[in-house]
């Protein structure tokens, strides 16, 4: 049974405390950590935003959010204890006359007590808020600032944010969060690789044929039209989530699970990625944009219709990439990345496809290659496909079946979701699951080259039907290499 170790008492201030992220993720995450006994009673949670409301109203909003997230596990008695930690201060952090004195009155500001400032706001406000915090005397001692993705929209804007924040907070105080790194199966990826002698010797070009990383969504814009049309799938998913998954899959073993040891190995992978520019972008990438289709036997709008605008947009809602890592371990092994909206099903997987046996002893017509499937969502688990004899008389028939580790079946207790884990790591000061400044910039350097190639080509994204598995060109890209996307359940 899982044992949760309590953290030390802390203060957390959530900028954008009335926003969608706070209501859907942050407040429920903190409440669930309270239910599991990780948050001490003397901790303090302060929501802040421009909205005019008092603490009583904010607690009511927080209760509705946490009750919705808890479902059948709602505990009114525990909520009555938890809500006493919650305060609200109305602050427009972009204004010079913001009421920092009231905010500071709720904080302990002790060098031995962590004080976390979580910026659940637009990234364009990060530097401005940090500067205001610095002027208010809220950047010294044991203070930490959490930055949500995306950090910028390109290398130049990412550097501007990083440099601006660095004027106020030291790098050890900055936690750039990517919630994918808090998922249990992502954490398990490192354990699988580095705690099992079975895998580490074969985790290389000598035995791996290729790697697939898919993050497929079955939803459309869902109220994010303004943001998404300026971003697209490459900036929204590939630059952060997918490159982080690629790094954890491909990195060398760190000397230890220390903050900077892990992050240094990830940066080496990013720096080894072959740039995709010019003509290479046409051969190694596919862009798509969904059109009207059917989901759950109901018609759904196309991307342009969801924008509610007559403007023709060339923003991609799907991207597939054949990436290569120029280092000793992975030379010649393609990494196929794929993400898209309005696809046939919601799933996120990392597929390690091993090479087939050098000689087929059992005839043709069966798959002789092992496959490791690491499912991140919706049903977290790990499956290793091996070849076995199919029972029965009449000859020797070989079938590929999985050795299955399902989190839902193996661990009957509820385990923390990504934000719950990462919030507790912020309080502990553990930076290993958070991106370093040069890591963010290395990712943008690679992505910017691809964006430039797309812009120069002038090609529009290929249309694909909502509810499908993406553009035909993505399947053809794999077919040219005599491979296919994994669509297993």
């Amino acid at each position: 049974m899982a044992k949760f170790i309590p953290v030390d008492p802390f203060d957390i201030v959530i900028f954008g405390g009335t926003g969608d992220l706070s209501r859907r993720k942050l407040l429920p995450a903190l409440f669930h950590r309270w239910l599991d006994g990780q948050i001490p009673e003397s901790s303090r949670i302060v929501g802040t935003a421009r909205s005019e409301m008092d603490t009583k109203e904010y607690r009511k909003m927080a209760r509705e959010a946490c009750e919705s997230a808890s479902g059948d596990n709602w505990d009114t008695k525990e909520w009555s204890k938890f809500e006493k930690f919650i305060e609200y201060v109305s602050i427009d952090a972009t204004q010079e006359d913001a009421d920092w004195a009231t905010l500071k009155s709720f904080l302990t500001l002790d060098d031995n007590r962590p004080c976390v400032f979580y910026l659940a706001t637009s990234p364009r406000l990060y530097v401005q808020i940090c500067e205001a915090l610095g002027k208010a005397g809220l950047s010294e001692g044991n203070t930490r600032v959490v930055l949500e993705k995306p950090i910028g929209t390109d290398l130049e804007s990412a550097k501007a944010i990083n440099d601006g924040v660095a004027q106020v907070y030291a790098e050890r105080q900055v936690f750039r969060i990517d919630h994918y790194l808090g998922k249990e199966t992502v954490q398990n990826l490192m354990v699988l690789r580095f705690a099992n002698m079975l895998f580490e010797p074969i985790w290389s070009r000598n035995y791996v044929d290729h790697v697939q990383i898919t993050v497929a969504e079955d939803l459309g814009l869902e109220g994010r039209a303004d943001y998404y049309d300026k971003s697209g799938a490459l900036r929204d998913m590939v630059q952060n989530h997918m490159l982080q998954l690629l790094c954890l899959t491909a990195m060398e073993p760190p000397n230890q699970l220390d903050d900077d040891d892990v992050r240094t190995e990830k940066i080496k992978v990013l720096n080894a990625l072959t740039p995709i520019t010019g003509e290479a972008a046409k051969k190694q990438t596919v862009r798509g944009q969904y059109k009207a289709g059917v989901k759950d036997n109901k018609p759904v709008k196309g991307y342009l219709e969801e924008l509610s605008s007559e403007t023709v947009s060339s923003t991609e809602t799907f991207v597939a990439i054949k990436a290569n890592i120029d280092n000793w371990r992975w030379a010649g092994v393609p990494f196929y990345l794929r993400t898209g909206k309005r696809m046939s099903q919601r799933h996120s997987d990392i597929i390690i496809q091993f090479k087939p046996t050098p000689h087929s002893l059992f005839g043709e017509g069966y798959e002789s290659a092992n496959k490791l499937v690491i499912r991140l969502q919706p049903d977290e688990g790990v499956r290793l496909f091996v070849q076995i004899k199919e029972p029965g008389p009449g000859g020797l028939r070989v079938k590929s079946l999985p050795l299955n580790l399902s989190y839902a079946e193996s661990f009957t207790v509820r385990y923390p979701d990504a934000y719950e884990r990462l919030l507790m790591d912020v309080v502990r000061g553990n930076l290993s699951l958070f991106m370093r400044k040069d890591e963010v910039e290395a990712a943008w350097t690679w992505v910017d080259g691809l964006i430039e190639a797309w812009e120069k080509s002038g090609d529009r994204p290929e249309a694909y039907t909502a509810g499908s598995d993406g553009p035909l060109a993505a399947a053809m890209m794999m077919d040219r290499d005599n491979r296919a996307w994994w669509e297993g359940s």
Side-chain angles (χ1 to χ4, degrees):
M1 183 174 178
K3 181 179 179 180
F4 300 111
I5 301 173
V7 297
D8 294 331
F10 65 94
D11 297 336
I12 182 169
V13 179
I14 304 175
F15 287 88
T18 60
D20 182 64
L21 179 63
S22 297
R23 288 182 282 108
R24 285 193 306 108
K25 295 293 184 181
L26 303 182
L27 291 169
L30 291 166
F31 180 53
H32 286 136
R33 291 302 85 227
W34 160 258
L35 291 176
D36 284 330
Q38 276 199 282
I39 297 181
E41 291 188 5
S42 57
S43 298
R44 186 67 61 86
I45 300 166
V46 183
T48 180
R50 290 179 294 183
S51 304
E52 292 292 340
M53 66 169 67
D54 58 24
T55 292
K56 183 178 180 180
E57 292 172 308
Y58 187 69
R59 288 177 178 176
K60 181 177 182 294
M61 184 210 78
R63 173 177 175 146
E64 291 171 354
C66 292
E67 188 170 359
S68 175
S70 298
D72 294 337
N73 297 319
W74 175 250
D75 191 324
T76 301
K77 183 178 178 181
E78 288 299 325
W79 174 260
S80 65
K81 299 175 185 177
F82 178 75
E83 71 172 354
K84 295 175 183 177
F85 311 154
I86 300 176
E87 305 288 348
Y88 180 79
V89 181
S90 178
I91 288 182
D92 184 347
T94 64
Q95 300 300 314
E96 292 187 6
D97 60 350
D99 188 8
W100 297 106
T102 301
L103 175 62
K104 291 175 74 171
S105 70
F106 289 121
L107 306 177
T108 304
L109 298 177
D110 183 333
D111 285 353
N112 295 318
R113 181 184 176 102
C115 182
V116 178
F117 298 103
Y118 199 115
L119 307 193
T121 66
S122 168
R124 61 185 174 80
L125 300 177
Y126 288 170
V127 174
Q128 201 168 0
I129 292 174
C130 287
E131 289 175 345
L133 287 169
K135 290 177 182 177
L138 294 172
S139 62
E140 303 299 325
N142 204 3
T143 58
R144 292 146 199 190
V145 62
V146 182
L147 308 182
E148 269 283 344
K149 70 96 176 173
I151 309 295
T153 57
D154 54 20
L155 178 60
E156 183 180 0
S157 58
K159 281 185 173 180
I161 290 173
N162 284 331
D163 292 346
V165 172
Q167 295 297 313
V168 183
Y169 293 96
E171 183 64 21
R172 61 176 173 77
Q173 295 175 282
V174 182
F175 292 72
R176 299 172 186 85
I177 194 168
D178 184 336
H179 73 272
Y180 262 64
L181 297 187
K183 291 181 178 292
E184 286 291 339
T185 37
V186 174
Q187 294 301 295
N188 207 27
L189 177 59
M190 287 198 289
V191 177
L192 278 171
R193 287 192 57 191
F194 306 136
N196 293 284
M197 194 59 185
L198 173 68
F199 290 119
E200 179 53 26
I202 61 173
W203 206 271
S204 73
R205 60 185 172 83
N206 296 322
Y207 296 97
V208 175
D209 178 80
H210 71 277
V211 176
Q212 297 181 29
I213 302 175
T214 293
V215 178
E217 300 176 271
D218 57 0
L219 298 176
L221 296 181
E222 308 304 313
R224 301 173 70 221
D226 289 342
Y227 160 76
Y228 196 88
D229 197 50
K230 296 181 179 70
S231 173
L234 186 66
R235 289 184 173 97
D236 185 53
M237 294 296 295
V238 176
Q239 187 274 335
N240 38 77
H241 297 331
M242 302 198 73
L243 287 185
Q244 286 295 308
L245 296 178
L246 181 148
C247 287
L248 289 175
T249 303
M251 73 181 190
E252 295 297 321
N255 292 332
Q256 55 187 349
L257 294 179
D258 180 72
D259 300 349
D260 276 337
D261 280 8
V262 173
R263 298 195 293 181
T264 295
E265 294 303 332
K266 288 196 293 178
I267 291 168
K268 290 179 183 178
V269 175
L270 292 171
N271 288 335
L273 278 171
T274 307
I276 302 178
T277 57
E279 289 299 311
K282 295 183 178 181
K283 297 178 181 179
Q284 293 177 227
T285 70
V286 174
R287 288 191 299 160
Q289 186 183 92
Y290 64 85
K291 60 183 180 180
V294 177
K295 176 73 171 68
D296 297 330
N297 297 318
K298 296 179 181 178
V300 293
K301 295 179 179 179
Y303 178 75
L304 297 180
E305 296 171 278
E306 284 197 67
L307 283 179
S308 300
S309 170
E310 295 182 3
T311 304
V312 176
S313 172
S314 59
T315 298
E316 78 284 352
T317 62
F318 174 99
V319 61
I321 301 171
K322 178 183 178 180
N324 294 285
I325 301 173
D326 286 335
N327 64 18
W328 188 273
R329 182 182 289 263
W330 295 112
V333 177
F335 282 69
Y336 297 98
L337 312 180
R338 175 179 61 158
T339 185
K341 287 188 172 296
R342 283 288 185 219
M343 296 181 70
S344 61
Q345 58 178 319
R346 171 180 174 264
H347 67 103
S348 298
D349 307 288
I350 300 172
I351 313 296
I352 311 298
Q353 178 66 64
F354 293 98
K355 292 181 178 179
T357 54
H359 175 63
S360 175
L361 293 175
F362 306 104
E364 302 298 326
Y366 78 98
E367 182 179 353
S368 66
N370 301 113
K371 183 188 285 94
L372 181 66
V373 177
I374 302 168
R375 170 145 287 191
L376 311 180
Q377 61 183 18
D379 303 313
E380 293 182 286
V382 179
R383 287 180 292 168
L384 175 63
F385 283 80
V386 297
Q387 320 318 323
I388 64 167
K389 177 188 177 298
E390 189 173 348
L396 194 154
R397 297 181 298 276
V398 178
K399 189 170 184 177
S400 180
L401 289 175
L403 302 175
N404 188 22
L405 167 62
S406 166
Y407 270 70
E409 295 175 5
S410 301
F411 304 100
T412 55
V413 298
R414 180 190 180 276
Y415 50 88
D417 76 5
Y419 274 100
E420 293 173 46
R421 178 191 179 102
L422 294 173
L423 281 168
M424 295 301 95
D425 276 355
V426 174
V427 173
R428 292 190 179 101
N430 179 8
L431 282 157
S432 60
L433 297 180
F434 300 84
M435 292 176 286
R436 206 165 66 191
K437 175 179 182 288
D438 51 353
E439 193 177 345
V440 173
E441 293 173 8
W444 272 122
T445 298
W446 187 77
V447 166
D448 276 1
L450 183 49
I451 292 173
E452 183 180 356
W454 284 350
E455 290 176 346
K456 285 183 178 179
S457 75
D459 295 337
R460 283 186 48 77
E462 180 181 332
Y464 66 96
T465 304
S468 70
D469 289 317
L472 178 61
M476 293 173 62
M477 182 178 74
M478 295 289 279
D479 188 63
R480 287 195 297 269
D481 293 343
N482 293 315
R483 300 183 176 106
W485 293 108
W486 166 256
E487 304 294 356
S489 59

